[in-house]
Amino acid sequence: RRHALFPNDLAVLDKEIKEQCMVRRTVMMFNLDLSEGGQSSLTMSKVLELKYKALDLMRPILTKHGGKDLEPMLWVFGAPVEAVLATVEVRRAVREYNLHEEDGQISISGYGIHCGDMLLIEGTDIHWGDPVNTSSKLGQDLATDGDILMLQEVKDSVDKDPRCSAMRFQAKMLTRSKVEFKAFSILEEDA
C-alpha cells in the first residue's frame, strides 16, 4: 500500500495538473480522404505520396497562423480566428493545387474547428478535451465537400474580427448520435 493515494493526495494532484496542463485552445481537425473521386484504385505508395503532398502543402499555411501540429490531422491554435483564417487559406490552396494536378487529387472531405479548455501536456501524446472531440466530429465525421464547420463560439469570435468581415456563413442543423446541434459552414464563394 505504499503507492496508494489518499483522497487529499488526489485533490492536490488534480489541482496541480489543472494549473499546469489545462489550457484554452482552438483545435482544427480535417479528414484527408484519398478514396473519393475515383482514387480508390491508387497504389499504397501513391496514397502515401498524396498524403505527404497534402501535409507539405498545408503545414506552412497552418504554422504561419500560429498552428502547432499535435498529430498530422490535428492542429492547435491560440485563438479561433487564427484557426479559421488558416483553414480557409488551406482549403483555397488545396483547391488551387487540384486545378493544376492531374496525377492524383488531394481530397479533404472537411474541416472542423472548436475551442475550449483541454488537457495538453507538451512533449506527450496527451491532448484531450472537448475541442479535440468536437473538432473531430465536425471535420472528420460530419463535414462533406470541403466544408469548414464550427460551432457558435468559434463563429462569434470570427464575427468580431475585421480580418474576417468578408466571410459569410450558412447555419446547418447536424445530427450525431441522435443529438441535433447547430453548426456553421463558411460559404464556398468566400474561401
Side-chain angles (χ1 to χ4, degrees):
R1 299 220 25 128
R2 69 181 186 149
H3 295 292
L5 292 174
F6 295 100
N8 191 42
D9 296 330
L10 289 175
V12 169
L13 185 58
D14 282 347
K15 183 178 183 229
E16 186 177 313
I17 290 172
K18 186 173 184 176
E19 288 172 355
Q20 293 178 12
C21 302
M22 289 297 290
V23 294
R24 183 156 186 81
R25 294 288 187 273
T26 302
V27 174
M28 185 277 286
M29 292 186 75
F30 61 95
N31 187 38
L32 180 60
D33 186 359
L34 299 173
S35 66
E36 289 187 4
Q39 297 192 52
S40 57
S41 63
L42 294 176
T43 65
M44 183 54 79
S45 63
K46 187 62 178 178
V47 167
L48 288 173
E49 179 186 327
L50 283 172
K51 177 181 177 180
Y52 290 121
K53 277 186 182 180
L55 295 173
D56 288 346
L57 176 68
M58 298 168 82
R59 188 175 295 107
I61 297 167
L62 296 169
T63 56
K64 176 179 83 175
H65 290 278
K68 181 176 181 189
D69 60 327
L70 300 181
E71 297 175 12
M73 294 176 220
L74 186 159
W75 288 73
V76 294
F77 296 82
V81 171
E82 295 306 324
V84 169
L85 290 170
T87 306
V88 168
E89 190 174 337
V90 161
R91 180 169 69 177
R92 187 178 301 122
V94 168
R95 294 223 166 111
E96 183 68 24
Y97 172 89
N98 286 339
L99 285 175
H100 304 290
E101 182 60 44
E102 295 179 20
D103 188 29
Q105 301 272 306
I106 295 171
S107 177
I108 309 238
S109 58
Y111 310 83
I113 303 170
H114 192 58
C115 61
D117 293 329
M118 62 184 286
L119 179 64
L120 178 60
I121 301 177
E122 296 287 338
T124 74
D125 64 350
I126 297 175
H127 39 271
W128 305 328
D130 185 51
V132 175
N133 298 339
T134 302
S135 64
S136 173
K137 292 296 176 218
L138 291 170
Q140 296 180 321
D141 296 340
L142 296 169
T144 60
D145 301 321
D147 276 343
I148 299 172
L149 296 177
M150 65 198 69
L151 298 185
Q152 186 73 52
E153 186 176 356
V154 173
K155 183 183 178 296
D156 289 346
S157 293
V158 170
D159 285 342
K160 295 173 188 171
D161 193 291
R163 296 173 294 171
C164 303
S165 62
M167 289 183 189
R168 301 293 173 252
F169 298 89
Q170 177 183 13
K172 294 185 172 196
M173 293 308 293
L174 303 173
T175 303
R176 185 71 183 166
S177 302
K178 299 180 184 177
V179 175
E180 189 174 73
F181 58 95
K182 186 177 185 179
F184 297 89
S185 177
I186 298 175
L187 292 176
E188 202 60 45
E189 55 271 13
D190 297 314

